[in-house]
Amino acid sequence: MSFQKLPAGNAGERPWWLYAFLALAGAAGIAIAVNGLYAQVFAIVAKGIGVTVFVTLVAFALATVIGMAIALMGLSGHVALRQSARFYVEIIRGIPILVLLFYVAFVGAPAMVAFANFLLTPLIDSGVMDKIVVRDFSLMWRAIIALTIGYAAFIAEIFRAGIQAVDEGQIEAAQALGLTRFQRFRLIVFPQAIRTIFPPLSNDFVSMVKDSSLVSVLGVADITQMGKVYAASSFRFFETYSIVAYIYLLLTIGLSLILRGIERRMRQKARLARDASPGVFPPA
């Protein structure tokens, strides 16, 4: 078996898979427009799109911030920070997201409520506020916390690999110029690392859109949960889950195309920068 270099840019092959998907999506759209049953299912399931988008955006934003912090801890010169970051990544990556959801929802949330009540004991005893109960902690936020914890471990590894891929000569040159550690990271390391980080990070974003369907096991009213409720009450399983799959495909493939466009523009900008300043930037 031999490896081949794939054609790049406009010289590459036509995206026939995308044409096939657009044809199927168009046929499904026509079926929804002309068939009353499909239109009814779509109207009900689509009510969950807002929840799916909200859960994904909030959980991914939090996971990115926490993941970058863990990656920086892992690259720290302090052994305790490095070992703490490694412990988090290895432990959390070994737990399935679904198990993490149940654990946060039914073990972590009661523990957090009990801890909050312990801290607020003086205010509760003096009657300033009531004792917090577990049901005040919404299932949607428990699901967001679980997704954040789970994905932060994977994103931390993406950031670590991207930062370590930056040429050490660039960092040594910045040190010779007298830049502080923060300035080296902000001006030298991160702008170069983001080109390595972006493709796997965007893949994780698309994966989180799909994994957000797991929050339906907690009863959160996302796309999957709306479909489950409708299918159970109407016994229209084929129509319902066809529409659910259709909506997820529109979201994930649309998102993938947008992210690939951003990635392509980043590569073009990097190539232009290298051409404008030959010898300053390392070869791609």
Side-chain angles (χ1 to χ4, degrees), residues 27-40:
I30 293 171
I32 292 170
V34 301
N35 186 302
L37 176 59
Y38 280 102
Q40 182 184 10

Side-chain angles (χ1 to χ4, degrees), residues 45-129:
V45 173
K47 292 177 182 175
I49 292 176
V51 173
T52 294
V53 171
F54 178 77
V55 168
T56 303
L57 290 178
V58 174
F60 191 78
L62 293 174
T64 301
V65 173
I66 295 172
M68 188 166 70
I70 293 170
L72 294 176
M73 285 172 59
L75 297 171
S76 166
H78 199 289
V79 65
L81 292 178
R82 287 201 308 273
Q83 291 299 318
S84 299
R86 203 70 236 160
F87 178 82
Y88 180 89
V89 169
E90 297 299 339
I91 295 299
I92 296 299
R93 283 199 311 181
I95 303 174
I97 295 292
L98 184 58
V99 176
L100 204 55
L101 273 168
F102 285 130
Y103 199 84
V104 170
F106 302 118
V107 180
M112 282 189 275
V113 169
F115 184 66
N117 283 329
F118 172 74
L119 294 178
L120 298 171
T121 298
L123 296 177
I124 295 170
D125 290 344
S126 60
V128 174
M129 63 176 294

Side-chain angles (χ1 to χ4, degrees), residues 14 21 24 34 38 45 51 104 110 113 120 145 149 156 182-183 223 240 260 267 280:
R14 284 181 178 275
F21 168 73
L24 286 173
V34 301
Y38 280 102
V45 173
V51 173
V104 170
V113 169
L120 298 171
I145 291 172
I149 293 172
F182 176 72
Q183 287 174 327
I223 295 169
T240 303
R260 283 184 193 176
R267 285 202 303 268
V280 174

Side-chain angles (χ1 to χ4, degrees), residues 208-224:
M208 187 177 274
V209 174
K210 293 184 289 183
D211 280 349
S212 70
S213 64
L214 294 173
V215 306
S216 65
V217 300
L218 300 181
V220 177
D222 72 328
I223 295 169
T224 307

Side-chain angles (χ1 to χ4, degrees), residues 7-32:
N10 294 331
E13 63 189 10
R14 284 181 178 275
W16 295 111
W17 69 270
L18 182 58
Y19 298 154
F21 168 73
L22 290 176
L24 286 173
I30 293 171
I32 292 170

